[in-house]
Structures are given as C-alpha cells and as structure tokens.
Amino acid sequence: MKITSVYDCTIIELDKHHHKKGNISVVENRKTIPFEIKRAYYLYDIPGGESRGGHAHKELSQLIIAASGSFSVTLDDGNVKRTFLLNRPYQGLLIVPGIWRTLDDFSSGAVCLVLASEKYDEMDYIRDYQKFVTYKV
Ligand code: TYD
C-alpha cells in the first residue's frame, strides 16, 4: 500500500464495560476494526529508554493498544509524521499498511498489545528507511 497517509491512521475508542470489580474492553473483527484479526502479540518487559518498531509493512494492518502503562507511537508516511501517546487500555491506534512506525517512551510495566490482520511474514516488512521512502513514491 504505497498511497496511504498518516491521516488514515486513527485512535479507535473501544467498547468499555464498567464494573465495580474492574473493566473489560472488547475488540471484534470488522466491527471495532476494519480487518479480521489473524494474529495477536504483545511487547512487555521493555527496558527504559528502548525503542521498538523502526519499520513499515506493505500489507499488514494493526491495532496497537497500551494494555498497561503508556508509550508513544510515531507514524511517518514519508511525507508527514504524527505522534500518538497511548495510555488508555480502552483506546487503540489503527495503523494502515505502508506507514513507518517507531514506538518509544515506554513506561515501566508497559504492555503493548498488537492485533494484526496477517500472520507473521518477514517479507511484508520494510526495515530500511530509504527503501521505504523509495517505495512510497
Ligand atoms: P519486530 O516486529 O521487528 O519487533 P518490533 O517492531 O516490536 O521491534 O519483531 C522482532 C522479532 O520477533 C522478529 O525479527 C521475529 C519475531 N517475531 C515473530 O517471530 N513473530 C511475530 O509475530 C512478530 C511480531 C515478531
């Protein structure tokens, strides 16, 4: 997806069920998000000052949730950059294909939950920023 922009990426408010014993938030395929979840993974025990991501995907869509704690996600479409602070477990950041992303400023104990539209495929990654810029034009 070459023509996507950072403005195609948005914060999605998830269903939030309040309960005196605690809260539940729900993500449903094609209802909460515009894709079918084929994979879920999560980042945790991230050392202070560490940065993750630093790549783009050609076809993968993702919803990124700060399931615990907080972190920043900087998106870059080769033209415009936008930074989102994720710090609410009932919000998800939708990232469309063709967007360079960097995750940093992880709080201690942060858990970054990622819901993804495809299975893991290293061939879908663009890990070189110059190749990404060339891919987008
Ligand atoms: P990567 O997506 O580069 O991590 P991040 O963007 O969080 O910095 O993944 C790091 C490594 O983990 C990758 O080289 C292979 C492995 N991995 C899998 O085996 N399956 C997966 O679904 C993911 C996301 C990563």
Side-chain angles (χ1 to χ4, degrees), residues 39 41 43 52-53 55 120 122 125 127:
R39 177 169 54 118
Y41 61 92
L43 311 177
R52 302 294 302 255
H55 56 73
Y120 176 73
E122 187 58 37
Y125 282 75
R127 293 190 181 274

